[in-house]
Amino acid sequence: MTLVPFTKPYAEPERAAAAARHHQWLTEHAKPLRQPALLTVRPNSLTFERIEGRSVRPDDLPRVAALLGHAHGAAWASDLRSASLDTAHRFRDGTTFDDYLGPRKRALRRRHEQGYLPNKTALHAMLGLLETTAQGPCAFYKDSNLRNFIVTSKQDIVVVDTDDLSLAPMGYDLAKLIATLHLTYGPLTDRAVTNALLAYNAAALRHDARLGTTDRNQLDSSLALHAVLTAPYVGRNGYRYSLPLRFSHRGAS
């Protein structure tokens, strides 16, 4: 049986064009990721091959972590080797996708205005933590929440939703996946998080000896940032649990 393609509408043509550009970049530079084929690009919609399956669950974490490690390693070797986390990166057509620091500084300030950071001291602590994470080789962030992976009946993993793409340090998008699994299913065990990081690093290391060095302190710092950045979504999209908000962090200075 042939599945009916999936069409995603966009209110603004710029958003549709950006998502199509992101899909093309990931296809070229993050080859380990399997994406649905992009069939049709229109000013206010994109039509994709339809993929049937389920979202990832906690028991899928080691395999998805390894997939992300392969994808980040491949992208670094292919296009991000010379990228800088504080400078927007250019696509082949000259357009850019966001740097790591700028958008997240703005987002943290919005969280403070929205009341998720109780005072300016907490805001400054999170901005300082953000700065400490901006180190090491560049990867990309494509919003690896658990709904953006589809596990098919054959146990293949397909990634969907290319609306967001920015630079990020290694491990940051893995932390987003871990955070959304926690938000949906409750806290993961320390062993599960450690094993996911080991799988991620082993996969990234296969692409270059300089990769695969993300440590648990770096991962925990990224998780602390995601706790603040995802706070407005608790109670929505299946997020039934909350991540603890921490305004200081071991190793941050």
Side-chain angles (χ1 to χ4, degrees), residues 154-169:
K154 295 181 179 180
Q155 298 304 302
D156 295 326
I157 300 172
V158 182
V159 296
V160 298
D161 191 345
T162 57
D163 289 357
D164 297 306
L165 188 67
S166 71
L167 296 177

Side-chain angles (χ1 to χ4, degrees), residues 76 114 116 118 157 167 208 230:
W76 182 88
Q114 294 165 332
Y116 296 104
I157 300 172
L167 296 177
D208 193 276
T230 60

Side-chain angles (χ1 to χ4, degrees), residues 228-249:
V228 176
L229 295 172
T230 60
Y233 307 108
V234 174
R236 298 161 51 189
N237 301 323
Y239 292 165
R240 298 177 296 156
Y241 300 85
S242 59
L243 281 160
L245 300 180
R246 292 171 288 170
F247 306 125
S248 61
H249 192 262

Side-chain angles (χ1 to χ4, degrees), residues 138-157:
C138 273
F140 60 84
Y141 170 79
K142 74 156 299 294
D143 185 13
S144 285
N145 74 66
L146 77 171
R147 295 180 305 280
N148 286 342
F149 297 89
I150 297 175
V151 182
T152 71
S153 59
K154 295 181 179 180
Q155 298 304 302
D156 295 326
I157 300 172

Side-chain angles (χ1 to χ4, degrees), residues 81-204:
R81 190 185 303 255
S82 60
S84 174
L85 289 166
D86 61 358
T87 305
H89 190 63
R90 292 197 175 276
F91 293 103
R92 183 181 297 171
D93 65 1
T95 56
T96 60
F97 66 87
D98 284 335
D99 67 295
Y100 171 64
L101 287 173
R104 287 160 185 86
K105 287 179 180 178
R106 293 190 291 273
L108 288 170
R109 291 189 177 101
R110 282 197 302 274
R111 296 297 178 265
H112 173 246
E113 293 166 1
Q114 294 165 332
Y116 296 104
L117 291 170
N119 50 50
K120 287 196 171 182
T121 299
L123 171 62
H124 292 154
M126 296 311 298
L127 290 171
L129 183 60
L130 176 67
E131 293 282 353
T132 69
T133 63
Q135 57 181 302
C138 273
F140 60 84
Y141 170 79
K142 74 156 299 294
D143 185 13
S144 285
N145 74 66
L146 77 171
R147 295 180 305 280
N148 286 342
F149 297 89
I150 297 175
V151 182
T152 71
S153 59
K154 295 181 179 180
Q155 298 304 302
D156 295 326
I157 300 172
V158 182
V159 296
V160 298
D161 191 345
T162 57
D163 289 357
D164 297 306
L165 188 67
S166 71
L167 296 177
M170 299 290 290
Y172 183 80
D173 222 357
L174 171 64
K176 178 61 177 284
L177 174 61
I178 292 169
T180 59
L181 285 169
H182 176 126
L183 289 165
T184 304
Y185 292 100
L188 305 181
T189 66
D190 186 75
R191 182 176 180 180
V193 174
T194 297
N195 286 343
L197 182 58
L198 289 172
Y200 175 86
N201 279 334

